[in-house]
Amino acid sequence: MRAATLRLRSPRRVLSQLPHRNLIHYGQLYPSHVPTNFVQKSLLAVGSGVAALRDPYRHDMVAVLGETTGHWALMRLRGQMMRDPEGCTILKERPRIRISTLNLSHMATLPDGCLGREYLSFLEDNNVTPDSRAEVKFVDNEELAYVMQRYREVHDLLHTLLGMPTNMLGEVAVKWFEAVQTGLPMCILGAALGPVRLSSRRFQLLVNTLGPWALRSGNRARCVMSIFYERRWEQNLEELRRELGIEPPPQILSAALKKVPSDSAY
Amino acid sequence: MAASVRSIARIVLSDSRRKALVMSSGPGINLTCRVELGGSRFYNEDHAGRTTSFGFETVSEEEKGERVYKVFESVAPKYDVMNDAMSLGVHRLWKDTLLRVMNPLPGARLLDSAGGTGDIAFRFLNYTRSRHALQQRAALRSQQTPSWQDISRDYASGERAVKAESRVVVCDINKEMLTVGKEKAERLGFGAGVSWVVGDAEELPFDDDQFDVYTVAFGIRNVTHIEQALQEALRVLKPGGRFLCLEFSKVSNPLLSSIYDAYSFQVIPVLGEVIAGDWKSYQYLVESIRRFPDQETFKAMIEDAGFFRVQYFNLTGGVVAIHSGFKL
């Protein structure tokens, strides 16, 4: 009797605990997918744009804006990645940059000047973690969703490659670079509206030195999404920059560029 | 005849529950009483595999409780903002209408079940206090000079305000919602007169025959066993007490219904994502509205639980309905 009731109960329990059970619902293509139609996407794009402009700290709104407006740009990016052999490998293997997948202790032992060591210093100096990126929700294609997720995770590495801190000026410079490289409307919007919040001194810096440098590098550089960073931790950063075609960051007043303790956004 | 049988059954039921709660001697007898008289949730093996609806999904009953808890835990901080955004402020009119239908007297005791952020509780207190003030003014106008009996009575009793103090108990299963409600109460100045209790609507932590009015506003569709919640409502109400339920219901007009559906499924989850950063909870909200029984079915459920003079009032063309019943 007891054995019979146990058997009756277990199948349902097991089913309810399977992690991918919910993939069957609503036409979900990946675990965090929320299928939306054109009307919902348009409303989301407008709403998230307004919310992001009103409160720039709403990173989730910036993410939603990027997802709902980036379909064409993501397709172009994927095409670029497929034409590059390294990019093709990334699309096949789908690496993720997360605390759990990075070998931080090994990276700490690497010599200074290596990509891995510089990336680790960047994470520590700016007190950021690769796990803080939101999951992609509104992209209705599984591969394009991965490309979007990869773009978000590579963002910190771009900061390292370009040598830019995470204050407003550094972020705008990286956005200009990304806008040229990826063509995502969210990057273009961020690049256009970001400078509005800069102080006049930093605005001058951006327009005269940093901005043109970022645009030039973005134009000349290879598609940064096609680089398999996880296999290049030991590579020297300067050498990587030369290989990719990124000019070294301009040597301007370090005080203006460095992140000051009073810097929360500016 | 039927009424007396029902009342006997009610007394026996409430008796056994009270004994079980107090954990008095003779546990064996109490437990069997409980199982026989429908306390089947706890000891009946058959219920382990039962499923219920969570929006348009089908989940096990245990899972529904957990998931509903998580939904309200995540929406609690932005609950009031979202209510205003989704209903364009009309939810305030619905709640005001509920109070007008209730028409409570000063001194009434209200249990606001699934009362979360306390909207009904605060309106109730405002209503009874203003009514009390009106009564006092009317009394003063009619009696120019109080008699010596009145003077001595008021002198002995002390504070006049304490005499007809209305009290509200806000009960909710979710601690986050109650926390938001408590902060709101302090901000609006409703410190005294409101108690905040954590409790499950299917198993209320109150004795029998305690409250004059029981309300549940936009909460009963989240309960796993609606019949049990209705029975608990019957139990805690005093004889002569009133049950009131404000809930989303079926829109009969086809044009309004199609506009309402389009708005619900296209706009509300988007608003949830943009304002609260939570699409899934608001998707659950609109789906659970569709899954809730319509006005007539719910009326029959309330009658089955043992309420009398059950009626409903449609608001906004049936988008929302107020169901009312009395315990006799």
Side-chain angles (χ1 to χ4, degrees), chain A residues 13-72:
Chain A
R13 284 272 163 84
V14 168
L15 270 175
S16 69
Q17 279 154 21
L18 278 178
H20 52 269
R21 180 184 70 114
N22 286 320
L23 276 181
I24 311 163
H25 296 280
Y26 315 117
Q28 264 186 318
L29 299 167
Y30 46 93
S32 56
H33 185 207
V34 178
T36 45
N37 60 30
F38 180 72
V39 174
Q40 289 171 321
K41 281 208 183 63
S42 325
L43 288 171
L44 268 174
V46 171
S48 61
V50 169
L53 282 172
R54 289 185 65 195
D55 185 3
Y57 287 102
R58 288 281 312 259
H59 299 296
D60 57 332
M61 287 294 100
V62 176
V64 169
L65 181 64
E67 287 168 27
T68 48
T69 54
H71 183 74
W72 178 85

Side-chain angles (χ1 to χ4, degrees), chain A residues 5 9 12-13 16 21-22 25-26 28 34 36-37 40 43-44 47-48 51 58 60-61 64 137-138, chain B residues 45 48-49 51 56-59 62-63 67 78 265-267 269-270 273-277 279-280 287:
Chain A
T5 45
R9 257 191 289 172
R12 237 186 256 275
R13 284 272 163 84
S16 69
R21 180 184 70 114
N22 286 320
H25 296 280
Y26 315 117
Q28 264 186 318
V34 178
T36 45
N37 60 30
Q40 289 171 321
L43 288 171
L44 268 174
S48 61
R58 288 281 312 259
D60 57 332
M61 287 294 100
V64 169
K137 285 196 281 218
F138 301 113
Chain B
E45 298 270 304
T51 59
F56 289 160
E57 269 182 72
T58 308
V59 298
E62 304 106 45
E63 208 190 325
R67 287 181 74 171
K78 294 275 175 86
F265 285 98
Q266 307 304 326
V267 179
V270 172
E273 179 68 33
V274 171
I275 299 177
W279 175 286
K280 293 247 158 93
E287 289 177 359

